[in-house]
Amino acid sequence: MVRAAAQTTSRIATHMVIAFALTWLMTGSLALGGLAAVIEPILNVALLPLHEKAWHALGQLARTARGRMLALGLEKLSQTGLHIAVAFGVMAWASGSLAFGGLAALIEPVLNVIVLPWHDRLWDRCGKGVRIETEQHNQNENERNGAYPGQTLVA
């Protein structure tokens, strides 16, 4: 549970770093970069539950497995569009330039698609090491406590 919370927090921080770096590089302003790094995730967090609720209601209308798959695909496309719109809006507001807004709408989602899987892979690797160490510790404890082979005293 703690690990999942830490991973989610790290994922949000990574997303914020991407928003900050992109805005700072485009505007040259640390203040606008910081604002974008806070505003963009807040907008996404506020809008995504509404988006999911609407798509859940639409998905309930699908009667077949094919219809549900189509609804899921359309939901993901719509979610991507929402992220693009938020990136565009935040950058256009921060920079005062529609061109920068459009550029951010193209670059920011691509950066997230590239960086976040690397982030998740790193967390998975770290988790495997922790699980192996925990399993080894538990095995040693079971042996020390006189467990028969295959018997578990410490889980």
Side-chain angles (χ1 to χ4, degrees), residues 37-75:
V38 172
I39 292 171
E40 199 247 346
I42 287 173
L43 286 174
N44 282 325
V45 167
L47 294 174
L48 280 174
L50 300 173
H51 179 270
E52 288 175 3
K53 185 177 180 181
W55 275 99
H56 180 72
L58 288 172
Q60 295 298 320
L61 299 175
R63 300 285 179 220
T64 64
R66 178 177 272 174
R68 286 188 291 277
M69 289 301 291
L70 178 62
L72 180 62
L74 291 173
E75 177 188 0

Side-chain angles (χ1 to χ4, degrees), residues 139 141-153:
Q139 183 179 358
E141 284 295 311
N142 287 328
E143 289 172 4
R144 191 175 311 134
N145 291 326
Y148 299 110
Q151 181 185 22
T152 302
L153 298 176

